[in-house]
Each structure stands twice: as structure tokens, then as C-alpha cells.
Amino acid sequence: MNFGRFFRSTVGIGLTAAFLVALPFIAATGGQAWVRILDFAILYVFLALGLNIVVGLAGLLDLGYIAFYAVGAYTWALLASPHFGLHWPIWAILPIGAGLACFAGVLLGSPTLKLRGDYLAIVTLGFGEIVRIFLNNLNAPINVTNGPQGITLIDPVSFGAFKFSGTTQIFGFALSGPQKYYFLLVALAILVIIINVRLQNSRIGRAWQAIREDEIAAKAIGINTRNLKLLAFAMGASFGGVAGGIFSAMQGFVSPESFSLLESIMILAMVVLGGMGHIPGVILGAVLLTVLPEVLRYNVGPLQAAMFGKQLLDPESLRMLVFGLALVLVMRFKPAGLWPSPERKRELEETGK
């Protein structure tokens, strides 16, 4: 055994764990809003890792991924709210939400097996919009989703008498609702990352990568491309369903407007910006594209006031302008992403030559 490597890895894991534990308390010094931003960053990590299976590993361009997020969110909302008078526990709702999202993934994948590139993107985009419009109009003749008004008073995550909403005293520390959700989300994120790493390094993961590189060659060597494409859609969708359920519990309210096309595009941007097919890169992309816009939101206005004595441009518009410019520059000078996999980086370098 290499004790030097073991020692370094142990110290690295310990420092990472200490940082993750301290992070919500550090963020809370700037207000609970920053802790909620961290919570949403982890939710987007779930979504980006799920889409990475479809886009990064299997090479299937999916612009309707937000639909699976919506399925998970509405599953929680319908099974844990006064809307139908049901208040099921988390251990029952999350598997159901993941299962329904998985079924929706197969439903999307089945008619698109022979489509590639732009055609696949258009069909998946349409699927995402169909789900959103369906949720928006399913309030008559039977009120299932409450239409554009959404569903309110959704139950928070709870384990027995312990609820994740409100402030709780634990070992002398006062933990707010967002801080409690943070620790729950970190635990789930670690599980999701382990599953993704195991998948990527498995025979299935290598088969997905073979399909991404050359589907005809993959089929010629005996890979069942049909089943593996469906599995990619199903596995990716299940992570979206879990994220949607937690989102619904955190917000206490869901409506179709939370699941627009822009959300799908943002999740795809996280995967591409971080580094398609590379799990650390995808996590980095998700965190950056969640936190950076909020940093700009809070600082663009005061920065203009300090420089010019007044606000020349609307902070929201300027925030998106700076954000978009940053994306363009990154993709111009780092086309493989901020943290690409070594294989993809080498491929792009060879192509450039």
C-alpha cells in the first residue's frame, strides 16, 4: 500500500468534508438567501448529472429534460399537500417520483430511437413543452394540477416529527430550514455522484460512450443500441424526478412556469460549460451557473452606483449580458469545457491540429 497516497487522499476527504459542513454557516452570515442559493446549486447538480448521462455519455441531445423535473415536482405536490388530502412520507414519494420520471424518459426515448442531432433536439424540445402545457391545462374537467395557479401548502421533507422547515436546535446549534435542506441535499448528492461514477466506469457506461462516438460501429460490435438509449433516457430522467421532488418540498409551491424551456437550456449549458461526460466538470458547471448569476444580481446595481453615481442599465438586463458574455468567452477559449475529461480534451486537440 502506498501510505503517502493514502494519507493525502484521507486528508483531502477530511478537508472537503469540513468545508462542506462549514459552508452553510459561512453562507448564512450573508443571509439565508445565500444558503437557499447553495441548496438550488445542489439541485442543479442532480439535474446536470442526470442530463450528462443522456448528452455527455450517450451523445443524445435532449432539450426537454426539464419535463422530468416537473414530473418529480408534481408527484410530490400531489401526494404531499391538501390538494388531494394526501400527506405521504418522503420514503414513499421520492421512489414514485423517480419511477414516474423514469417512465416518462422511456416514453420520450421510444419514438426517438432513430433520430439524431437537430431532429432529436426538436422532438425532445417539443416533449418538454407538451408536459408544461399539459400541467398548465389539467385543471378541467377534473382539477388535477390546479392549472396555472399551481399547488400550494406542499408538505416539507420530514422524518417522523423532525421537519426540514423552520428553525431547529441541534446540539446547541440553531439550524434554519435552508441549512437543514442543505445537509439533506449534500447526502443525496454524494449518493448520486457515486451512482454516476459507477455507471460511467461500468460496461453500460462504456457502451454509452461507444454509441456517442459511432452508433453504427457500436451496433456492429454487438451493442444493443436501442435498449441502451432507452436506459440512458430512463436513468437520466430518474435523477430529474428526485430533484423535482425535493424542489417541491423546499418551495412549498409549484406551478408550470417553473419548468420553462429556458430551464432546460440552462441545464444543458451547465453540462457543456463544465465538460460533457466528465462528472467533476459537470458539477463545476452546475455550481458556477447557479451561483454566478446570483452574485451578479446582488452586485451589478451597487457596482454601477459606485462607478457612475447612478444605475445606467437595469441590473437584471446587465446581469444577463455579463453572464452571456462570460459563457461566450469560455466556450471560445475552452471549447471542451472548464474541466473536460482527458479523452475529450485530447480529441479536440487532435482535431485542431
Side-chain angles (χ1 to χ4, degrees), residues 65-79 88 92-109 127 131 134-135 144 233-242 245:
Y65 186 73
I66 202 66
F68 311 126
Y69 190 43
V71 169
Y74 268 87
T75 299
W76 185 289
L78 294 175
L79 296 180
W88 290 13
I93 303 176
L94 275 190
I96 292 173
L100 289 176
C102 186
F103 175 74
V106 174
L107 198 64
L108 169 62
F127 177 80
V131 170
F134 183 73
L135 294 172
V144 178
F233 275 113
M235 285 297 300
S238 64
F239 293 126
V242 171

Side-chain angles (χ1 to χ4, degrees), residues 296 300 313-328:
L296 292 174
V300 162
L313 293 173
D314 175 56
E316 183 66 20
S317 301
L318 186 59
R319 176 181 74 95
M320 293 309 296
L321 177 64
V322 173
F323 178 59
L325 179 62
L327 288 181
V328 171

Side-chain angles (χ1 to χ4, degrees), residues 220-304:
I221 62 174
I223 294 175
N224 190 329
T225 58
R226 177 180 67 87
N227 287 354
L228 283 166
K229 281 183 175 182
L230 289 177
L231 182 60
F233 275 113
M235 285 297 300
S238 64
F239 293 126
V242 171
I246 301 298
F247 166 77
S248 185
M250 284 172 51
Q251 291 287 92
F253 167 77
V254 290
S255 73
E257 295 306 312
S258 299
F259 312 106
S260 63
L261 173 62
L262 180 60
E263 290 293 314
S264 280
I265 294 173
M266 284 295 293
I267 298 167
L268 180 61
M270 292 171 183
V271 175
V272 174
L273 179 71
M276 285 195 299
H278 192 221
I279 291 172
V282 171
I283 294 171
L284 176 64
V287 172
L288 278 181
L289 289 192
T290 306
V291 176
L292 181 60
E294 299 304 323
V295 172
L296 292 174
R297 183 198 303 275
Y298 283 101
N299 291 283
V300 162
L303 185 61
Q304 288 187 81

